[in-house]
């Protein structure tokens, strides 16, 4: 049996791992790679003549840990390049992946239309090539027709010699650790792919489930060398910020937030705060159609949420909707919020302030000393969110150089990733004498190196940090 690391190898995004038995090929995750710049992406495609470094038609099955686009975003391309098999995931992952892939296809279509319009206006100029990783709605539909939902805890046979079980990973609704049992040459081997590991006591989500003893563990390491700073509850942390920024002074609070997962945790927490703290009637504007659709998915799957959320639902009928919440569907409605002069809260995507409607809210408020921009998660280097967190005096938005007069704050209670302690807790479920190997993925190089040392300090001997394209015999 062979395992090849084709993504999230010494980087965070692009999760994609190929497990091969004698006569069966399984792809675990098939995510978009956001760490490659355009030059690197073009070079790779020219070398491979494809989005993939393997023949997509030879893959038998895809297993999907969760819906986030860095794990699911290349699935439509897999079908475009010849894959004819099924994608196996949990039911909520299917629902959320459908929303995210359709959103991505819509963005690709807009960019394709802009390229075509640009080409027609500039006659005589060489037509721009269409990026190889672009897909459109028909590619998404073909992919979704082949998704197979499987319940948590259900043993599911994907081949004569391979069965899988999904265990709840926290992190996101539907997210799973995947444990495979492979029978080869009369021997049973167990392999676990962690997916993204959540944290304990996170709003809405159950704690990550324990997995059984395995032979090989492929483990994410996003926060492999970091501990979460905020130790209080999300409600306490958010209520404190609201009081200081919108009540003690008549200001407005801008919260960049990812549409799927993070926004639902925020809305649920705000609902609890408004019921418990008797805050003034501050308007809350949720400015992301994708977030609105995702919230409906969460509401439909209440039975998979944690006990606190289920009890709140029973007592109050709705997890997310409250009197002062306004969903902004159209772009005109989004722009009109700039003319709302009362203290308010605006939640908008994207979480790294890189594209999306949140850019216009930041642009409109960055020069306002009565405005606060609250960062609630990780921002990649070079993004607008990263520049705000690093205290730059001026920032460039849409070609304009603007002074930063707004207040910039950060809390990490809404981060959906487990920190170093959470990751270690997950690994320590395994007996070091029985675990044959750990492979660290989905992290920055320094985070991986530090976490590798930490794991080895705890008695685990074989801890690898694979390079992209490296194959291991299991």
């Amino acid at each position: 049996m062979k395992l090849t690391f084709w993504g999230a190898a010494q980087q965070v995004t692009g999760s994609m791992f190929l497990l091969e038995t004698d006569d069966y090929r399984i792809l675990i995750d098939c995510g978009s790679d956001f760490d490659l710049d355009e030059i690197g992406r073009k070079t790779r495609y020219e070398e491979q003549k494809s989005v993939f470094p393997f023949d997509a038609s030879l893959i038998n099955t895809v297993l999907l840990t969760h819906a986030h686009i860095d794990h699911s975003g290349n699935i439509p391309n897999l079908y475009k390049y010849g894959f004819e098999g099924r994608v196996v995931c949990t039911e909520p992952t299917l629902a959320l992946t459908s929303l995210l892939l359709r959103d991505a296809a819509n963005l690709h279509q807009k960019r394709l239309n802009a390229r075509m319009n640009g080409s027609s206006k500039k006659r005589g100029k060489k037509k721009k090539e269409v990026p190889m990783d672009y897909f459109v709605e028909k590619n998404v539909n073909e992919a979704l027709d082949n998704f197979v939902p499987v319940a948590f805890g259900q043993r599911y046979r994907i081949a004569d010699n391979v069965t899988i079980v999904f265990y709840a990973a926290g992190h996101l609704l539907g997210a799973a650790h995947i444990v495979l049992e492979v029978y080869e040459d009369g021997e049973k081997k167990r392999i676990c792919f962690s997916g993204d590991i959540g944290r304990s006591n996170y709003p809405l989500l159950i704690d990550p489930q324990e997995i059984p003893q395995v032979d090989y563990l492929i483990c994410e390491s996003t926060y492999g060398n970091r501990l979460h700073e905020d130790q209080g509850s999300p409600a306490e942390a958010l209520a404190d910020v609201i009081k200081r920024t919108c009540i003690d002074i008549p200001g407005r609070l801008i919260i960049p937030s990812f549409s799927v997962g993070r926004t639902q945790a925020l809305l649920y927490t705000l609902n609890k705060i408004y019921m418990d703290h008797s805050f003034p009637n501050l308007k809350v504007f949720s400015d992301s159609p994708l977030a609105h659709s995702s919230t409906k998915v969460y509401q439909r799957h209440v039975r998979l949420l944690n006990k606190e959320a289920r009890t709140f639902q029973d007592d109050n009928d709705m997890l997310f909707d409250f009197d002062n919440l306004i969903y902004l569907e159209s772009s005109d409605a989004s722009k009109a919020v700039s003319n709302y002069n009362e203290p308010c809260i605006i939640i908008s995507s994207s979480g790294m302030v890189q594209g999306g409607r949140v850019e216009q809210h930041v642009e409109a408020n960055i020069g306002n000393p009565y405005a606060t921009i609250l960062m609630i998660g990780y921002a990649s280097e070079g993004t607008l969110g990263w520049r705000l967190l690093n205290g730059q005096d001026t920032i460039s938005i849409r070609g304009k150089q603007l002074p930063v007069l707004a207040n910039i704050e950060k809390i990490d209670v809404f981060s959906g990733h487990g920190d170093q302690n959470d990751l270690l807790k997950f690994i320590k479920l395994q007996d070091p004498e029985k675990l044959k190997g750990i492979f660290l993925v989905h992290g920055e190089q320094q985070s991986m190196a530090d976490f590798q040392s930490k794991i080895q300090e705890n008695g685990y001997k074989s801890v690898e940090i694979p390079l992209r394209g490296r194959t291991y015999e299991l």
Side-chain angles (χ1 to χ4, degrees):
M1 183 167 50
K2 295 189 295 185
L3 176 61
T4 306
F5 294 84
W6 286 122
Q10 300 197 16
Q11 63 180 53
V12 175
T13 64
S15 288
M16 189 161 57
F17 317 109
L18 179 59
L19 185 66
E20 300 173 84
T21 65
D22 290 337
D23 57 356
Y24 207 80
R25 296 173 181 84
I26 305 161
L27 198 64
I28 297 88
D29 284 346
C30 188
S32 298
D33 186 344
F34 299 118
D35 291 275
L36 270 182
D37 59 24
E38 287 301 318
I39 295 173
R41 182 173 281 107
K42 185 175 182 181
T43 301
R44 180 181 291 180
Y45 294 164
E46 286 173 347
E47 291 172 352
Q48 297 169 183
K49 308 297 182 186
S50 167
V51 172
F52 303 103
F54 47 78
D55 186 343
S57 68
L58 296 179
I59 302 299
N60 297 102
T61 298
V62 174
L63 306 179
L64 180 58
T65 59
H66 66 287
H68 280 149
I69 211 78
D70 62 321
H71 294 256
S72 69
N74 257 327
I75 290 175
N77 284 319
L78 203 64
Y79 286 92
K80 198 166 87 171
Y81 283 88
F83 174 58
E84 296 180 343
R86 62 201 154 158
V87 178
V88 185
C89 63
T90 66
E91 186 178 346
T93 293
L94 167 55
L96 293 175
T97 302
S98 174
L99 295 176
L100 281 163
L101 292 182
R102 292 187 193 285
D103 184 67
N106 183 51
L107 180 60
H108 290 174
Q109 188 66 64
K110 287 179 179 178
R111 289 174 176 169
L112 288 171
N113 293 342
R115 283 171 180 262
M116 291 175 63
N117 292 336
S119 297
S120 63
K121 290 176 183 177
K122 299 176 182 178
R123 296 180 185 275
K125 289 202 171 184
K126 185 179 178 181
K127 186 178 179 181
K128 289 184 178 179
E129 292 182 12
V130 175
M132 294 176 73
D133 57 351
Y134 273 24
F135 54 82
V136 292
E137 188 173 1
K138 71 175 183 178
N139 305 123
V140 175
N141 291 336
E142 180 185 7
L144 293 173
D145 285 344
N146 290 284
F147 272 58
V148 177
V150 173
F152 286 115
Q154 175 184 342
R155 187 174 297 277
Y156 183 79
R157 186 173 299 279
I158 62 172
D160 289 341
N161 62 331
V162 184
T163 60
I164 64 167
V165 179
F166 290 129
Y167 295 86
H171 180 68
L172 181 72
L173 178 67
H177 311 306
I178 305 177
V179 175
L180 296 92
E181 287 188 357
V182 181
Y183 293 84
E184 195 175 48
D185 300 326
E187 183 183 0
K188 180 177 75 173
K189 298 174 184 175
R190 269 187 180 163
I191 305 121
C192 175
F193 293 84
S194 74
D196 286 357
I197 299 170
R199 53 195 296 191
S200 300
N201 303 313
Y202 191 77
L204 296 171
L205 302 179
I206 66 173
D207 292 351
Q209 289 182 323
E210 294 188 0
I211 62 167
Q213 178 67 45
V214 298
D215 297 296
Y216 298 96
L217 179 61
I218 294 83
C219 185
E220 69 113 328
S221 53
T222 314
Y223 275 45
N225 60 356
R226 283 177 282 177
L227 299 176
H228 291 304
E229 297 170 7
D230 298 298
Q231 299 302 316
S233 74
E236 291 170 342
L238 189 56
D240 174 67
V241 175
I242 294 170
K243 181 177 183 300
R244 290 187 289 101
T245 61
C246 295
I247 298 173
D248 293 345
I249 61 170
R252 60 170 46 193
L253 180 62
I254 317 294
I255 308 179
S257 178
F258 294 111
S259 298
V260 181
R262 204 71 54 85
T263 294
Q264 289 71 45
L266 270 173
L267 293 178
Y268 169 63
T269 303
L270 282 166
N271 196 359
K272 291 171 61 181
I273 289 171
Y274 275 36
M275 298 191 80
D276 295 343
H277 288 77
S278 301
F279 274 7
N281 292 326
L282 290 171
K283 297 288 186 190
V284 177
F285 297 101
S286 180
D287 189 15
S288 166
L290 177 58
H292 193 187
S293 300
S294 304
T295 299
K296 292 176 182 177
V297 173
Y298 269 69
Q299 187 69 59
R300 288 202 306 268
H301 290 88
V302 171
R303 62 187 175 81
L304 293 177
L305 301 179
N306 62 30
K307 183 178 180 180
E308 181 189 60
R310 298 196 305 272
T311 301
F312 190 90
Q313 166 73 25
D314 291 341
D315 293 343
N316 301 286
D317 295 328
M318 294 296 289
L319 287 171
F320 305 105
D321 290 342
F322 46 92
D323 288 341
N324 295 305
L325 175 61
I326 300 170
Y327 290 102
L328 303 176
E329 295 292 351
S330 70
S331 57
D332 288 342
S334 174
K335 292 172 184 174
V337 171
S338 296
N339 299 319
Y340 183 79
N341 294 319
E342 298 296 321
C344 64
I345 301 168
I346 301 171
I347 303 169
S348 187
S349 61
S350 72
M352 297 189 192
V353 202
Q354 196 70 8
R357 292 183 181 181
V358 74
E359 278 196 6
Q360 74 189 24
H361 296 300
V362 171
E363 180 182 351
N365 292 279
I366 197 69
N368 178 5
Y370 288 94
T372 299
I373 298 168
L374 177 65
M375 300 297 296
I376 61 169
Y378 175 76
S380 296
E381 186 173 347
T383 61
L384 185 53
W386 179 85
R387 296 199 296 274
L388 290 171
L389 285 171
N390 279 270
Q392 293 190 5
D393 295 331
T394 62
I395 55 171
S396 177
I397 304 180
R398 307 183 198 212
K400 302 175 188 173
Q401 200 69 25
L402 303 172
V404 178
L405 301 178
N407 303 292
I408 312 298
E409 294 200 22
K410 176 186 177 182
I411 55 175
D412 66 1
V413 287
F414 290 99
S415 171
H417 278 279
D419 64 9
Q420 186 187 80
N421 288 336
D422 295 309
L423 298 178
L424 274 175
K425 179 181 177 182
F426 177 74
I427 286 174
K428 285 181 177 179
L429 295 171
Q430 304 299 312
D431 184 337
E433 299 301 320
K434 297 178 180 177
L435 188 64
K436 297 176 182 176
I438 299 172
F439 301 93
L440 298 183
V441 296
H442 201 289
E444 295 171 348
Q445 292 186 26
Q446 190 60 53
S447 177
M448 288 183 173
D450 292 345
F451 191 44
Q452 180 187 45
S453 299
K454 195 74 175 177
I455 296 169
Q456 290 169 336
E457 288 173 8
N458 282 270
Y460 296 87
K461 299 179 180 65
S462 178
V463 186
E464 298 280 344
I465 302 177
L467 290 168
R468 183 181 185 276
R470 175 75 186 275
T471 298
Y472 293 83
E473 291 280 349
L474 304 186

